[in-house]
Each structure stands twice: as C-alpha cells, then as structure tokens.
Amino acid sequence: MRITVKVGTSTLTHATGRLNIQRIEKLCKVLSDLKNAGHEIILVSSGAIGMGVGKLNLPGRPADMPGKQAAAAVGQCELIYTYDKLFGEYNHTVAQLLLTGEDIKNGQRSHNVRNTLTRLLELGALPVINENDAVATDEIGVENTIGENDTLSAIVAAAIGADLLVLLSDIDGLYDSDPHQNPDARIIPTVENVDDHIYALAGGTGSALGSGGMVTKLNAAVIATSADCEMVIANGSKPDLLYDIAQGKPVGTRFLKRKV
C-alpha cells in the first residue's frame, strides 16, 4: 500500500519541547519495517516549532510570529537531521519537502509537488514533509498558509493517490462524548460519513506545543475519503499500532472511503 503517516508535535516531543528520543526511534523503526515489507511510506511531520522551542531553551511556544518563525527555522534542522540519522540506520534515504499553501493551491506548483513525490517514491526514498513554517504564516493570509499538518497530510495523501492516511496524535480516536468529562466515553471504531453529527462530537484545539484539534482531523478525513483514501486516527505514543492499522485491524477510529 501507499501509506501517508502524519505525526504530531505532542507525539514527537516531551512537554518541555525537547525530543522524545524513545518514541521517535520506535516510530522510525516501525516505518522502516513497513517499508521493508513493500509499503510506500510518506511521512508528514510536525514538530519544527516545538523542537525549536527546546533547542533555543525558550520558556514556551512564542506568541509572536517572528518568534514562531525563528523557532521553526531552528527546529526544522534538528527534525530532519534526526529523521535522516534514524532512517539511515535502517538503510532508508529520506527526502525533505517544505510546502506552503501556495504550493498546493497553484496548479503548476501542485503538479510539480506531485511529480517530485512520485519520483522520490519510484527511487525508493522516504519523503518527510512539513509546512514551511519559517515563511508560511497567518499574517501572509489564508491563501498562502495551510495552518496545520492534519490538512496538509490529507492534501498530500489525496494528491499522491495514497491508499491510507494515518494521523498519529495524543488521542486514541474519535469518542462518542468528551472523555475528559465522561469516564464512560467510548471510541467510535468506524465512521462511514463525516456529517454534522460527527462534527458535533469534535472538541477544541490541541496541545500547547501543537496546533489543531479533532475538527481539523475531521476536515482531513473529508479530504482523504473523498479521494478514495481511508483514514485512521490513532495514538502516536504506540507506534507499533501501525502494523495493525496497515493490516486493517480495528485500531482507533477508521474513516471509510466515501461512497459515490
């Protein structure tokens, strides 16, 4: 299968912003093994700003835009260095793509992105994609920014014809009620259609170091499933779950392809 995996900041880093070494090592090992098994893997990775916060020894995520851009510029270096080193240990070559909203919305540039990704996969490389946070900001305007990587990963999955999109986050899946307030809340294992009822179950924004929440994940599900790509939301603290997800076993919440 062609699998796009999105990993969030909360999965890659500790609360301090520093790299969660054990987790990222495990993630790279599992993805390398899936690649060895014949799957094509595309990794959409958040974490640049979070890692930059740790690398610069900042007290927290900057509130000002230049501060976020600076943290992203520093953190992206550490992020791709880490992936290059860890995947290299399993003889896999990584390729970095930093995208902006304009790269997606502009027809020619979007075509170029698709061609590049296709050729990288043909060459056996493992693309690692992130939004270019050092230059793509909300101040530029919504036409030039994507905003968070849930949407970016769905756009990438749709563009490249992925069979499966996996969003790894700090949640186990979509619940039938707020698990923070209702101890009896249950995970919804399968969603056939993202309708108003499903959106009503979505909570607020994500963690302090990341961006986006369940609403952005549901938006991603609409994009992916409309492009004939199934999507799964699962807990990124357990990278081994990717084996079961790839085999179609019930893990987290799986969004089925939209029926025409």
Side-chain angles (χ1 to χ4, degrees):
M1 286 195 301
R2 179 170 288 180
I3 306 172
T4 300
V5 177
K6 181 263 178 180
V7 58
T9 302
S10 58
T11 298
L12 295 174
T13 60
H14 293 288
T16 59
R18 291 288 188 177
L19 187 67
N20 187 326
I21 296 173
Q22 183 180 30
R23 185 156 317 148
I24 195 169
E25 285 184 343
K26 185 67 173 178
L27 174 68
C28 291
K29 182 177 182 179
V30 172
L31 291 177
S32 294
D33 200 22
L34 288 173
K35 201 167 183 309
N36 287 346
H39 299 294
E40 292 180 325
I41 304 296
I42 301 159
L43 179 61
V44 177
S45 176
S46 302
I49 295 178
M51 285 193 179
V53 167
K55 189 82 169 178
L56 291 168
N57 293 313
L58 301 178
R61 188 183 178 96
D64 65 306
M65 191 57 67
K68 292 178 183 178
Q69 290 173 290
V74 171
Q76 186 64 36
C77 293
E78 182 171 1
L79 187 64
I80 199 64
Y81 167 78
T82 301
Y83 282 131
D84 187 51
K85 180 175 182 293
L86 293 176
F87 281 117
E89 292 178 359
Y90 300 104
N91 297 315
H92 290 300
T93 299
V94 302
Q96 177 178 251
L97 280 81
L98 297 178
L99 305 176
T100 66
E102 190 62 26
D103 296 322
I104 302 299
K105 297 179 176 72
N106 181 282
Q108 183 58 52
R109 290 166 72 168
S110 176
H111 180 72
N112 292 340
V113 169
R114 188 180 302 111
N115 285 345
T116 300
L117 280 171
T118 300
R119 182 53 57 89
L120 285 170
L121 293 174
E122 290 173 353
L123 293 171
L126 196 157
V128 177
I129 302 172
N130 195 3
E131 183 163 13
N132 195 347
D133 294 319
V135 299
T137 72
D138 291 333
E139 290 182 344
I140 296 174
V142 294
E143 291 303 317
N144 295 307
T145 185
I146 300 165
E148 36 66 39
N149 278 346
D150 292 331
T151 299
L152 175 61
S153 65
I155 293 172
V156 168
I160 199 64
D163 302 295
L164 176 65
L165 169 62
V166 183
L167 302 185
L168 295 180
S169 187
D170 54 1
I171 52 175
D172 294 322
L174 176 65
Y175 286 83
D176 59 7
S177 60
D178 189 345
H180 297 107
Q181 299 183 16
N182 180 12
D184 296 323
R186 296 183 179 182
I187 287 182
I188 300 174
T190 305
V191 174
E192 293 188 5
N193 183 41
V194 182
D195 53 20
D196 290 343
H197 170 67
I198 296 297
Y199 269 109
L201 300 176
T205 56
S207 65
L209 285 171
S211 63
M214 186 55 71
V215 171
T216 67
K217 290 172 176 53
L218 295 182
N219 291 340
V222 171
I223 295 171
T225 57
S226 297
D228 212 28
C229 174
E230 291 195 346
M231 191 186 94
V232 173
I233 299 174
N235 198 315
S237 66
K238 307 166 186 174
D240 278 342
L241 291 176
L242 286 167
Y243 289 120
D244 289 339
I245 293 172
Q247 294 174 19
K249 296 181 180 179
V251 175
T253 300
R254 183 176 290 258
F255 296 80
L256 303 181
K257 302 173 186 177
R258 295 185 73 178
K259 297 178 181 177
V260 180

